[in-house]
Amino acid sequence: QLQLVESGGGLVQSGGSLRLSCAASGFTLDYYAIGWFRQAPGKEREGVSCISYSDGSTYYVGSVKGRFTISRDGAKNTVYLQMNSLEPEDTAVYYCAADRLATMEALCLMWSYDDMDYWGKGTLVNVSS
């Protein structure tokens, strides 16, 4: 079965850390752009961070720069999002997505959600103040 599966969400206090994982099964992430997106209650989905699996180039939205780090593990066919100094405003459902045609920047900034090749089901991050 071709799918992305997220894990690692949970409840954490403000200032804490979490590491999210996005594992691909049934296909390899080579040559894909992969991104983390989030959607908070009552808000639109936004691109948080994206990575080019082939060369490791990355993009971060301004609100998470310096706090979040995206990375990949080729052996595990997995992408991670290390989230430090979490704030209540980071509370959201976090999704990972992958697309073979998009560049990593396009994936985060302008690619249509409907056109992305694969989506995970999401993992909830809840940051308490």
Side-chain angles (χ1 to χ4, degrees):
Q1 189 174 4
L2 307 179
Q3 60 180 356
L4 295 173
V5 179
E6 303 99 333
S7 61
L11 175 63
V12 64
Q13 288 188 331
S14 181
S17 298
L18 286 173
R19 188 177 80 156
L20 305 183
S21 299
C22 172
S25 63
F27 69 103
T28 177
L29 289 172
D30 293 350
Y31 310 114
Y32 278 80
I34 302 98
W36 285 98
F37 300 80
R38 65 185 179 187
Q39 187 163 21
K43 295 187 177 180
E44 291 189 356
R45 192 173 301 186
E46 68 168 343
V48 175
S49 180
C50 291
I51 188 168
S52 170
Y53 208 79
S54 58
D55 64 16
S57 56
T58 59
Y59 165 85
Y60 297 93
V61 70
S63 60
V64 308
K65 279 184 180 177
R67 300 189 298 123
F68 291 10
T69 303
I70 192 170
S71 62
R72 74 211 195 279
D73 185 328
K76 295 183 178 180
N77 209 27
T78 298
V79 170
Y80 302 97
L81 186 68
Q82 177 66 44
M83 306 186 296
N84 299 328
S85 302
L86 282 161
E87 304 167 352
E89 293 74 22
D90 296 315
T91 294
V93 178
Y94 284 70
Y95 302 88
C96 66
D99 193 90
R100 185 147 183 169
L101 292 181
T103 64
M104 58 87 187
E105 201 164 36
L107 187 71
C108 260
L109 293 176
M110 66 183 69
W111 213 251
S112 169
Y113 295 128
D114 292 336
D115 291 339
M116 293 180 187
D117 292 336
Y118 301 102
W119 274 100
K121 294 184 178 180
T123 185
L124 176 62
V125 172
N126 193 343
V127 185
S128 63
S129 57

